[in-house]
Amino acid sequence: MSGGSGPSGFQAVRETNLGVVLRAVRALAPCSRAAVAAATGLNKTTVSSLVTDLMARGLVRETGEEAAERRVGRPGVMLALDPATIAAVGVEVNVDYLSVVAVDLLERELLGAHIDFDARAAGPDACAGRIAEAVTAAVADPALAGRAVIGASVAVPGLVDAPSGTVTRAPNLGWHAYPLRERLVARLAGTGAAEVPVRVDNDANLGAVAEFRAGHLARTPDLVYLTGEVGIGAGVLLNGELVRGSTGFAGEIGHVRVAPDGPECACGRRGCLEAVAGVEAVLRRAVPDRAPEGPLSGTEIGELVRTAVERAEADDPTAVAALRDAGGWLGRGVAVLVNLLDPKAVVLGGYFVPLAPWLLPECRAAAGADAFAADGGCRIEASALGLSAAATGGAVGLIHALDSGRLPLPAPHREPARA
């Protein structure tokens, strides 16, 4: 076997080392080449060559000289990430909206947009068209001017085969075996975003990534993110890594049966967690006089959430009782996760956030009562990222993939300087 001895093998090793140096600069900046060499175990000549390459790609820049008093001998030129040259785009599609976020190399938000859109009524093809329009608009936005867009990551509430980008099943959207990535690539052809790589993943997974990298409990390695939409999914991080399961479909806590005689779920079974604690089910109990028959449109969901909050703040007994009851069901679901995974934190996202003042007390109480290790120290909190969590997770996840060598580095856009 030729293994890694040929040119392709050499290039693979070099690309891996570029990622190693990029991660080191992220962790240590401002730092010298010598500090990077010491941290990575690579020799100084190799680090100098790799830094030159990363500078040519617009990922690393020199910031000036190290203060003389910080070291003995000749001051070293300091390095930092260059936040001005690339961007990553994340899009979340849900029943009633699209959310778009773009970030720079430092994972700072460059743009954010919330687009009211009834994805369930539109159907998958029209939805793919609207997502493509949103990606194209983001790439052309003045906030991204002059930047190379390294990818667009799309979050979907359902089972997603991430390698192919096929949505296997999304019952709340009415999608089945839909090749979303393939359709998006076709829609983007001929646009200003034609060369942008596209990824598709589950919204709960990307929500968990967002919480780990950008949430108020950031860097909590064992964390679960619960989507608070019509459906309830769980994105699970153990030791800072996503748990996907053998086929990539881990985390479907919304379809754990918690009430065997409960109402019918969109999946066709009865008593699933999302049938009793999903936002649509909660709203029908909290504001029964305002909820129309049939599936709620995207606009209706947002309006009913606002109404439920207003009534609960006014101590309306029906609204308060419904929200507290939903919190109890959520707590039972959380207890299942705590017993199986022993996370350090469970974060409630989406529409659970505005409803959290009434959900959280009962949720914590029920989880504490049903979890085997009631004193295990698991925190249950509301997200600070709102309805853009999965979109943010998609964008920052692309930056993480770039750092980890799982996404191609941008091509050099200027002549490399001498090492």
Side-chain angles (χ1 to χ4, degrees):
M1 293 177 62
S2 62
S5 60
S8 61
F10 172 81
Q11 186 60 29
V13 171
R14 184 170 180 83
E15 289 178 357
T16 297
N17 286 339
L18 284 169
V20 169
V21 172
L22 187 63
R23 291 195 298 277
V25 175
R26 181 183 295 279
L28 301 173
C31 58
S32 66
R33 288 167 174 80
V36 172
T40 62
L42 298 170
N43 67 57
K44 293 181 181 180
T45 301
T46 298
V47 167
S48 183
S49 173
L50 294 169
V51 166
T52 298
D53 195 339
L54 291 170
M55 290 174 64
R57 296 171 190 269
L59 299 175
V60 169
R61 62 188 175 93
E62 293 180 338
T63 63
E65 291 190 341
E66 181 183 17
E69 65 269 21
R70 290 179 56 187
R71 54 172 287 154
V72 177
R74 185 171 177 267
V77 176
M78 304 301 282
L79 304 170
L81 298 182
D82 189 341
T85 56
I86 69 163
V89 176
V91 180
E92 179 181 1
V93 55
N94 225 297
V95 170
D96 60 327
Y97 66 88
L98 297 180
S99 186
V100 184
V101 171
V103 302
D104 66 12
L105 186 58
L106 295 178
E107 301 181 7
R108 300 178 304 193
E109 186 173 304
L110 298 170
L111 68 85
H114 184 86
I115 303 166
D116 289 331
F117 179 69
D118 196 336
R120 180 159 52 190
D125 285 333
C127 194
R130 190 67 186 88
I131 295 169
E133 291 173 4
V135 172
T136 303
V139 171
D141 193 283
L144 273 60
R147 296 174 182 271
V149 178
I150 62 170
S153 179
V154 181
V156 180
L159 301 180
V160 176
D161 177 50
S164 70
T166 297
V167 181
T168 304
R169 188 182 187 195
N172 292 312
L173 292 175
W175 298 5
H176 179 72
Y178 186 71
L180 180 58
R181 180 183 175 276
E182 177 185 308
R183 296 289 193 271
L184 287 174
V185 170
R187 295 271 190 166
L188 292 171
T191 74
E195 302 302 318
V196 175
V198 177
R199 293 183 166 196
V200 180
D201 206 339
N202 170 264
D203 63 339
N205 285 344
L206 294 180
V209 170
E211 292 296 337
F212 180 69
R213 295 182 73 88
H216 68 295
L217 298 178
R219 307 302 166 182
T220 301
D222 301 298
L223 176 147
V224 176
Y225 175 83
L226 290 184
T227 60
E229 312 296 342
V230 174
I232 301 176
V236 179
L237 288 170
L238 294 181
N239 198 28
E241 296 293 331
L242 274 173
V243 175
R244 293 186 178 274
S246 61
T247 57
F249 301 154
E252 288 300 318
I253 187 66
H255 297 291
V256 169
R257 188 173 295 180
V258 294
D261 298 323
E264 185 175 358
C265 181
C267 72
R269 301 188 302 165
R270 304 191 73 86
C272 294
L273 178 62
E274 72 179 44
V276 292
V279 70
E280 187 167 333
V282 175
L283 292 173
R284 292 193 181 281
R285 299 196 304 272
V287 286
D289 58 312
R290 296 286 298 276
E293 294 294 327
L296 299 178
S297 71
T299 302
E300 289 168 338
I301 290 174
E303 291 175 350
L304 291 175
V305 168
R306 288 189 287 272
T307 300
V309 169
E310 290 170 359
R311 292 187 180 182
E313 287 176 338
D315 292 325
D316 176 79
T318 299
V320 170
L323 296 178
R324 288 178 174 169
D325 182 62
W329 286 116
L330 275 176
R332 294 178 181 91
V334 168
V336 173
L337 294 168
V338 170
N339 287 337
L340 289 175
L341 303 172
D342 189 26
K344 192 67 176 176
V346 174
V347 181
L348 307 185
Y351 287 119
F352 287 152
V353 175
L355 303 176
W358 303 275
L359 296 176
L360 278 177
E362 298 299 326
C363 180
R364 290 167 174 155
D370 285 10
F372 181 71
D375 59 347
C378 177
R379 296 177 60 179
I380 305 174
E381 305 285 351
S383 173
L385 299 177
L387 295 177
S388 66
T392 298
V396 300
L398 288 166
I399 300 298
H400 178 60
L402 187 74
D403 281 1
S404 304
R406 292 182 284 111
L407 195 70
L409 293 170
H413 66 277
R414 56 178 178 258
E415 188 68 23
R418 283 188 179 273

